Amino acid sequence: MAEQLWVFKLDNYASNAWLNTMLPNILLCCAVCLIAHGFHRFLKIQNSLFWLYGAQLFLIGPLYFYGLTAVTPILYSVIVLTVSISISLLFNASYLLSCQAKQYGISRLICLFTGGLVLVLNVIRVGLLMREPSIVNSIEFSTAIASINLLMSQCFLVFCYLMFCTQRNAFSLQHMSFIDPLANIYNRRGYQHAIAALIPHKEAAVMILDIDNFKNVNDEYGHATGDLVIQDIATIIAKACGSTCVYARTGGEEFSIYSPLISAKTMENLAETIRLAIMDHTIKKQALAIKVTASIGISVGQSVNVFALEEEADKALYQAKREGRNCTVMQLFVPG
């Protein structure tokens, strides 16, 4: 019964055997091509998919329609279709080697290995058909080999795709737990994790910045405007610090900046740069033009205890508040 369902009785075509052997091969090519399409969309690659589908169309289309009207060697058809599958696998490899896939690390290497394994299976299949002409002339064997190859290829490639999806979900969850959704910089958890990941060092500096009279901004202009103030100050801090520091929003209107191996003078200059940039910046919302200031406390010392440095920086911040706000206070911290 299975044979009756698979083998089409099409008397008008030149080669029923060729047609029935081609069908699983075309299905295999389309399946592998869709996997390449999936990787393209998954990795958000901007280049067009024209070359992928164009290469498949120009290889498979003429061969398929020609085989409906003329007697075409089955082995030749299988070889050409194997080349077509290889094109899709090469597209997969190019996507996996692109910059968008670098963040996936070992998963990307496993997918590249799997794609290579699928290609080897196709080459082995062609080699087997070339060594055993009797298999080529048997629709049942040719169809079975193509179908098994299809299932194995799809299982391998779908496994890779699911692995990428799982890892991307893990990245997304990590991003949600480490990044402040309003300021779009680290939150306290991400801040501590980033500091822990740094190379061990002895000297460090911690800066704590607090927006002056932020409650008054919320009360007078509304919380939406207060959110805009937070976002603008986060942008100013990110621009000033670049990649040299770890910075985060660690409270409602409080930001922390950590930098290893930095001199006290350099940290003080950075703090003043940020403070003056905040003071000169105007937050605009519709007809409103709002200006705010910030107080900054700094602690610099020979210590790997970040919590101790943060405690001293917090004391310096309160001193800056007592001295009239909109100023920077720095103190050296020597662990006892």
Side-chain angles (χ1 to χ4, degrees):
M1 182 175 180
E3 181 180 351
Q4 291 177 352
L5 289 173
W6 183 259
V7 180
F8 292 89
K9 306 300 182 182
L10 303 175
D11 298 331
N12 295 329
Y13 293 123
S15 176
N16 291 339
W18 180 89
L19 177 63
N20 287 280
T21 303
M22 280 289 291
L23 287 176
N25 283 278
I26 292 175
L27 183 60
L28 174 60
C29 289
C30 293
V32 177
C33 190
L34 287 174
I35 291 293
H37 185 111
F39 277 120
H40 182 278
R41 295 302 184 192
F42 181 85
L43 297 172
K44 299 181 180 179
I45 294 175
Q46 301 299 320
N47 297 337
S48 172
L49 284 165
F50 170 78
W51 293 109
L52 172 62
Y53 290 111
Q56 298 295 343
L57 179 63
F58 287 119
L59 278 173
I60 297 177
L63 179 64
Y64 181 74
F65 287 108
Y66 177 72
L68 296 178
T69 56
V71 177
T72 306
I74 296 175
L75 181 59
Y76 174 75
S77 303
V78 172
I79 293 174
V80 174
L81 289 169
T82 299
V83 173
S84 179
I85 293 170
S86 301
I87 290 175
S88 289
L89 293 174
L90 290 175
F91 269 91
N92 275 344
S94 67
Y95 297 152
L96 293 171
L97 291 171
S98 66
C99 294
Q100 289 92 330
K102 287 184 178 179
Q103 61 177 320
Y104 293 98
I106 190 66
S107 297
R108 178 179 63 152
L109 299 179
I110 294 175
C111 290
L112 286 170
F113 172 77
T114 303
L117 186 59
V118 171
L119 184 59
V120 169
L121 286 174
N122 282 277
V123 173
I124 292 175
R125 173 189 172 207
V126 173
L128 178 62
L129 293 175
M130 293 180 67
R131 291 180 58 184
E132 299 292 340
S134 60
I135 297 179
V136 178
N137 297 325
S138 171
I139 297 176
E140 289 79 8
F141 277 110
S142 298
T143 301
I145 292 174
S147 299
I148 291 171
N149 199 354
L150 167 64
L151 291 174
M152 293 182 68
S153 301
Q154 284 298 92
C155 285
F156 280 133
L157 292 175
V158 169
F159 165 76
C160 290
Y161 191 73
L162 291 175
M163 184 171 58
F164 267 103
C165 290
T166 301
Q167 191 164 1
R168 185 173 70 171
N169 288 338
F171 287 153
S172 178
L173 289 174
Q174 185 183 55
H175 183 273
M176 291 172 60
S177 63
F178 285 174
I179 302 298
D180 183 90
L182 177 61
N184 199 30
I185 59 177
Y186 281 130
N187 57 20
R188 182 173 291 278
R189 181 184 291 108
Y191 176 70
Q192 293 173 349
H193 183 272
I195 292 174
L198 293 174
I199 299 173
H201 53 276
K202 294 182 179 179
E203 295 181 352
V206 171
M207 178 195 310
I208 298 180
L209 180 150
D210 187 84
I211 304 172
D212 295 329
N213 301 314
F214 185 69
K215 185 178 182 300
N216 294 340
V217 174
N218 282 331
D219 292 343
E220 185 174 352
Y221 302 106
H223 288 278
T225 303
D227 291 346
L228 187 61
V229 172
I230 294 292
Q231 292 171 346
D232 282 12
I233 290 182
T235 301
I236 291 172
I237 292 174
K239 183 178 180 180
C241 293
S243 60
T244 60
C245 304
V246 178
Y247 47 89
R249 180 190 178 203
T250 51
E253 66 272 18
E254 186 175 281
F255 297 82
S256 295
I257 301 171
Y258 177 90
S259 181
L261 301 174
I262 189 170
S263 67
K265 186 61 178 176
T266 303
M267 196 65 173
E268 185 177 24
N269 290 338
L270 175 62
E272 280 298 290
T273 299
I274 294 173
R275 185 184 66 81
L276 293 174
I278 292 172
M279 185 175 66
D280 295 337
H281 180 70
T282 301
I283 296 93
K284 296 180 180 179
K285 183 182 180 183
Q286 297 176 352
L288 297 175
I290 305 166
K291 284 185 171 292
V292 296
T293 59
S295 301
I296 302 175
I298 307 172
S299 176
V300 180
Q302 300 284 330
S303 175
V304 294
N305 189 339
V306 179
F307 299 105
L309 284 172
E310 286 183 344
E311 185 177 351
E312 295 301 316
D314 197 52
K315 293 178 181 178
L317 172 64
Y318 279 104
Q319 183 178 343
K321 294 286 188 181
R322 288 192 296 269
E323 291 181 3
R325 298 185 173 86
N326 191 24
C327 62
T328 299
V329 173
M330 183 185 67
Q331 63 183 38
L332 300 178
F333 170 61
V334 180

